[in-house]
Amino acid sequence: MKHAFFFLLFSLFSIGVCAQENNDWERYLEHLATLDEAESTSWEEVHQVLSEFSRNPININQATEDDLRQLLFLNEKQIDEIMTYLGKYHGMRTKAELNMLRELDTDRKMLLSCVIYIGEMAQNKETFRQLLRNAGHEAVAMVGIPLYERLGQTNGKYEGGPLRHWLRYNMNAKNRMRWGFIAAQDAGEPLFKGKNKSGYDHYSFYFQLRRFGVFDNLVVGRYKIKTGMGLIINNGLALGKASLLSTNGNTTNILTAHSSKSEFNYLQGAAAVLHPHPSVWITPFLSFRYLDGTLNKDSTTLYNIAGSGYHRTESELARKHNTSLATGGVHLRLVKNGFYGGATFIFNRLSRSLQPMKIDSLGQFSLSQLYRMWLPQGQQIWNLGVNYGYNRGNISVNGETAYGNCNAIASINAASYSFSSKFALTALYRFYALRYYALQSLSFSDGGSTQNESGLYLGANWRITKDLTLSTYADMAYFPWPKYQTLGSSRGWDIMTNLLYQHKLLTIQARYRYRNKQRDNEEKTSLIPKQDHRGLLAVEYSHNHFTLKTKASLSYCNYQKHSLGYLLEQHGRFQSKRFNILGSIGYFHTQDYYSRVYSYERTLLYMMNIPSFAGKGCRYALLASFQFRNIQLSGKWGTTHYFDRTSISSGLQQINKATQTDIDLQLRYSF
């Protein structure tokens, strides 16, 4: 009956709905995220940024390069093309002119159209007081209510209640000045007691001032920064392999406020972008923050830095903020006639020494810990790197080489050539020495870190017709030192092909991805291939207020045994000026965890959800929001029901029933 009800609901939605233009930015972000299978940690950050800019759009005719860098999904070459176009034609008169930009693919053009508006060319110089007077304010409160109990709640191991909730305030003055704070609480964390006597488990504050006096960009409080190609520092601002095709291997330097609930991978202090000369940018940054550290048996040194942000149990609370990290650095960037060069220096000092290898009483370590031997270690870690490139016309060359007190180097270099506005090739080679490490690095890799890897990536982007685009890449990687689940050197292959058809109201996406990584056999005597095949077929129809989407995902894994899984989904949306409703239903069937399937599921404002499913079951979700003047009320109901089990998850997260239902409520007030 449930299945019949939902399919009837979507059928009723599909009956002729007509109205005005749909400014649905998340639709285009979903195309990009599903292309990369959300393997990058940055999609949530991009989602957060676009949520803010969709409510505070940029006047494209007054935009600076740094304005466009704040959007995260554009690279330097794309930004340069936009700025050149604005200068040559004295601004834009309509958003349709975005179609004249050859460096942007369709989804990025549509994303950009959702976060800009066409305004006057002249810039009015406003004082600090005038900016404050014209600012917009937003307050958001959210609560998540589980209709189940986890084992940690029933046995009293969790120190707090079952609800998760957060508060957020943000002030925005024409994207030139922003400030706000966030208070967040995960389910199971104590409130106004224990280590959280001050109330919420997590507080965050940020202030950002742009194009004011000597500051091109100034951030105080919590912030994220990325320089070069991420070998020295990148606080999670990097997208996946498929996105590299549309950026032609090109990257951009970014400094932005950390305005999300994430408790990991940010800096806390102050950073600024100074622009003393048209060709020179200087970015100094300072930070001091506390981290959660897992201690070794000596109770003084660190085994690792924990990044989950959970503080629910006695052991999780014991490691909360038990280590401090002081960071300082500077980035210098020079640009001239299409050439650019830069240098980054960073120094980190931990209050405890990192010792990532567990040593037994005999002073020996287990062979299963070999993959941890060259992780960051010590109390002081510094790195120095240079980045360089050339962007002009059809050619784009970019690279970065880094060194540190690890006494090893890492280098990444990319080149792209556009044969025409319809066809471009990209090549990227990286060499990360197994002894190289940088505490905040994040760059292109197949193994998840910027060490112990060399590889070659080749990709092509071909706009076959106006409506049809083919994207494909092949990535080959070699790991000389043992990785997790391997006791020797190993190799990996990653091949993806995506076909995207976008014509007026209809979008069709077909994607196939093959990954082959070597893993230990069951006896751990030799390496055997772990082969993953994943396919996606999605058909989307969008007409004014209404969107209907059907998706089929297939997963096949061959590793010690064969495993097959699939997911069938139906999504629908109706949107009017004040009312918005989205519904989805999915059926999944996988033989085990190896053939698990993923889905992109819309949720509340400033939140993103890409769940995975394994086993047999159904997923239902309904999201609705209502806008009345300055108040927006939103709610989401989501249920996952399993047919092949009587309990969900394990450990303290275990739910002793086959159904998991969550209700999320949100109130937004803008003034």
Side-chain angles (χ1 to χ4, degrees):
M1 290 298 293
K2 284 184 179 179
H3 297 188
F5 170 75
F6 274 95
F7 280 117
L8 177 62
L9 178 65
F10 289 125
S11 298
L12 290 174
F13 278 162
S14 62
I15 297 175
V17 182
C18 59
Q20 58 198 24
E21 180 185 359
N22 187 359
N23 196 34
D24 185 11
W25 60 267
E26 194 164 0
R27 173 190 173 194
Y28 309 108
L29 180 65
E30 181 180 353
H31 293 164
L32 298 176
T34 55
L35 190 63
D36 275 318
E37 294 185 328
E39 64 181 10
S40 167
T41 58
S42 290
W43 287 117
E44 186 173 357
E45 190 71 27
V46 175
H47 185 279
Q48 176 89 16
V49 167
L50 292 178
S51 295
E52 295 175 354
F53 278 105
S54 66
R55 284 157 178 78
N56 301 280
I58 297 171
N59 179 358
I60 190 63
N61 290 327
Q62 294 184 6
T64 65
E65 293 181 9
D66 193 64
D67 287 325
L68 299 176
R69 289 190 186 103
Q70 300 296 308
L71 298 175
L72 302 186
F73 62 85
L74 298 174
N75 66 30
E76 290 290 348
K77 192 171 184 179
Q78 293 164 344
I79 291 172
D80 182 65
E81 183 187 33
I82 294 170
M83 298 305 296
T84 300
Y85 183 93
L86 294 173
K88 182 177 180 180
Y89 297 103
H90 306 288
M92 292 185 182
R93 279 73 179 170
T94 171
K95 291 183 182 181
E97 293 182 59
L98 293 174
N99 292 317
M100 304 298 292
L101 304 174
R102 54 178 288 177
E103 295 295 333
L104 296 179
D105 59 13
T106 301
D107 284 322
R108 279 175 172 77
K109 287 176 183 176
M110 298 307 296
L111 275 174
L112 189 58
S113 70
C114 294
V115 294
I116 65 169
Y117 71 95
I118 307 298
E120 297 295 328
M121 285 285 293
Q123 294 195 24
N124 298 321
K125 292 185 178 181
E126 295 178 290
T127 65
F128 192 86
R129 182 174 298 179
Q130 288 173 324
L131 283 175
L132 284 175
R133 190 184 308 126
N134 298 323
H137 304 262
E138 176 188 72
V140 183
M142 177 270 173
V143 60
I145 307 169
L147 301 186
Y148 52 84
E149 267 195 325
R150 297 195 183 272
L151 183 59
Q153 297 287 344
T154 56
N155 63 14
K157 295 291 186 180
Y158 285 168
E159 301 283 332
L163 302 182
R164 54 190 173 88
H165 43 97
W166 52 266
L167 303 171
R168 170 191 171 98
Y169 167 77
N170 183 68
M171 184 279 291
N172 190 310
K174 298 183 178 181
N175 294 311
R176 289 190 56 199
M177 181 168 60
R178 294 174 55 215
W179 74 274
F181 68 86
I182 297 167
Q185 193 84 2
D186 291 315
E189 294 178 337
L191 183 68
F192 286 105
K193 64 179 181 180
K195 277 201 170 185
N196 292 339
K197 289 181 180 179
S198 59
Y200 278 82
D201 178 75
H202 172 68
Y203 290 100
S204 181
F205 167 81
Y206 57 91
F207 171 82
Q208 185 173 21
L209 186 64
R210 302 182 52 251
R211 305 198 309 273
F212 200 88
V214 297
F215 297 109
D216 210 33
N217 192 354
L218 170 68
V219 183
V220 177
R222 294 188 174 176
Y223 63 92
K224 287 177 174 282
I225 189 170
K226 172 180 172 291
T227 66
M229 300 187 77
L231 293 184
I232 301 292
I233 182 168
N234 180 1
N235 296 133
L237 303 175
L239 303 183
K241 291 183 179 180
S243 296
L244 191 71
L245 294 173
S246 56
T247 60
N248 296 330
N250 199 298
T251 58
T252 184
N253 299 306
I254 302 169
L255 170 63
T256 184
H258 176 61
S259 57
S260 72
K261 307 183 302 300
S262 171
E263 300 180 42
F264 186 66
N265 211 2
Y266 63 84
L267 297 179
Q268 179 176 268
V273 177
L274 307 175
H275 194 20
H277 185 273
S279 300
V280 180
W281 286 263
I282 303 172
T283 306
F285 52 94
L286 290 171
S287 169
F288 181 85
R289 57 165 301 197
Y290 288 99
L291 307 169
D292 297 352
T294 303
L295 302 182
N296 289 307
K297 289 183 179 180
D298 59 13
S299 300
T300 57
T301 60
L302 284 174
Y303 175 67
N304 67 11
I305 297 172
S308 69
Y310 290 124
H311 306 117
R312 302 161 299 187
T313 65
E314 186 177 341
S315 60
E316 289 176 348
L317 285 165
R319 70 186 185 194
K320 180 180 180 181
H321 297 171
N322 63 2
T323 303
S324 65
L325 171 64
T327 302
V330 64
H331 174 69
L332 173 66
R333 179 179 173 85
L334 307 173
V335 179
K336 189 71 173 179
N337 297 327
F339 292 92
Y340 77 84
T344 305
F345 174 77
I346 188 171
F347 179 83
N348 293 283
R349 180 178 175 82
L350 291 155
S351 60
R352 300 176 186 270
S353 179
L354 266 170
Q355 292 186 9
M357 295 289 292
K358 288 186 176 180
I359 309 297
D360 61 21
S361 57
L362 299 177
Q364 299 177 340
F365 57 82
S366 169
L367 290 178
S368 62
Q369 294 280 305
L370 276 177
Y371 72 96
R372 297 185 59 85
M373 178 172 286
W374 306 111
L375 293 180
Q377 50 196 281
Q379 196 168 356
Q380 298 182 6
I381 300 172
W382 63 263
N383 296 93
L384 174 66
V386 293
N387 57 88
Y388 37 83
Y390 174 77
N391 297 314
R392 180 61 62 90
N394 296 339
I395 300 175
S396 177
V397 179
N398 310 277
E400 184 174 22
T401 299
Y403 181 77
N405 60 343
C406 53
N407 294 319
I409 67 168
S411 184
I412 180 172
N413 297 275
S416 175
Y417 184 77
S418 300
F419 292 87
S420 68
S421 60
K422 296 183 178 180
F423 186 72
L425 291 178
T426 299
L428 181 147
Y429 177 77
R430 72 269 191 194
F431 170 78
Y432 307 146
L434 66 91
R435 291 178 173 83
Y436 176 82
Y437 56 76
L439 203 59
Q440 291 103 341
S441 66
L442 177 64
S443 190
F444 183 99
S445 71
D446 189 68
S449 64
T450 52
Q451 68 174 179
N452 183 33
E453 178 177 333
S454 60
L456 177 65
Y457 170 101
L458 300 172
N461 212 17
W462 181 22
R463 187 176 300 175
I464 303 172
T465 67
K466 178 183 176 182
D467 304 318
L468 187 64
T469 302
L470 175 68
S471 303
T472 185
Y473 70 75
D475 185 40
M476 301 154 283
Y478 173 66
F479 313 102
W481 188 258
K483 300 284 290 183
Y484 178 65
Q485 294 184 334
T486 68
L487 290 178
S489 58
S490 60
R491 288 178 168 83
W493 279 85
D494 184 3
I495 301 172
M496 191 280 299
T497 297
N498 184 79
L499 195 62
L500 183 64
Y501 176 81
Q502 294 174 302
H503 180 72
K504 295 182 180 179
L505 309 178
L506 182 66
T507 300
I508 302 175
Q509 182 180 12
R511 187 194 69 225
Y512 169 73
R513 187 175 188 183
Y514 169 73
R515 304 194 77 174
N516 186 326
K517 284 192 173 183
Q518 293 179 311
R519 291 287 183 264
D520 291 331
N521 62 5
E522 194 170 355
E523 296 79 19
K524 297 188 182 300
T525 57
S526 63
L527 295 176
I528 60 175
K530 178 180 180 290
Q531 302 178 66
D532 289 293
H533 302 261
R534 292 187 177 274
L536 169 72
L537 179 62
V539 180
E540 180 179 6
Y541 175 80
S542 182
H543 181 67
N544 296 320
H545 290 301
F546 173 72
T547 301
L548 187 67
K549 186 170 187 176
T550 303
K551 292 174 62 178
S553 303
L554 183 69
S555 175
Y556 173 74
C557 179
N558 182 11
Y559 175 57
Q560 300 182 358
K561 64 178 182 178
H562 302 285
S563 177
L564 180 68
Y566 62 87
L567 169 65
L568 303 175
E569 300 174 83
Q570 182 65 56
H571 300 257
R573 178 184 187 187
F574 171 76
Q575 181 182 26
S576 65
K577 186 176 181 180
R578 291 188 176 181
F579 187 67
N580 186 19
I581 183 169
L582 300 91
S584 65
I585 179 174
Y587 173 74
F588 56 90
H589 186 146
T590 77
Q591 292 181 301
D592 55 31
Y593 179 75
Y594 285 122
S595 57
R596 64 193 178 278
V597 287
Y598 294 88
S599 175
Y600 184 105
E601 186 175 282
R602 299 206 188 186
T603 186
L604 302 177
L605 183 63
Y606 301 123
M607 299 171 65
M608 189 177 182
N609 187 31
I610 304 181
S612 64
F613 304 103
K616 302 175 185 177
C618 281
R619 171 66 180 178
Y620 316 97
L622 190 65
L623 173 66
S625 63
F626 177 74
Q627 183 81 35
F628 178 73
R629 294 183 179 175
N630 295 341
I631 297 176
Q632 183 185 64
L633 296 172
S634 303
K636 180 184 177 182
W637 162 69
T639 294
T640 304
H641 178 72
Y642 291 88
F643 304 140
D644 60 344
R645 66 195 67 180
T646 57
S647 64
I648 303 172
S649 194
S650 60
L652 296 180
Q653 287 290 88
Q654 182 172 312
I655 303 169
N656 291 320
K657 56 195 303 188
T659 302
Q660 179 179 349
T661 299
D662 291 274
I663 296 175
D664 295 337
L665 303 174
Q666 189 179 83
L667 172 65
R668 173 178 176 265
Y669 176 60
S670 56
F671 55 99

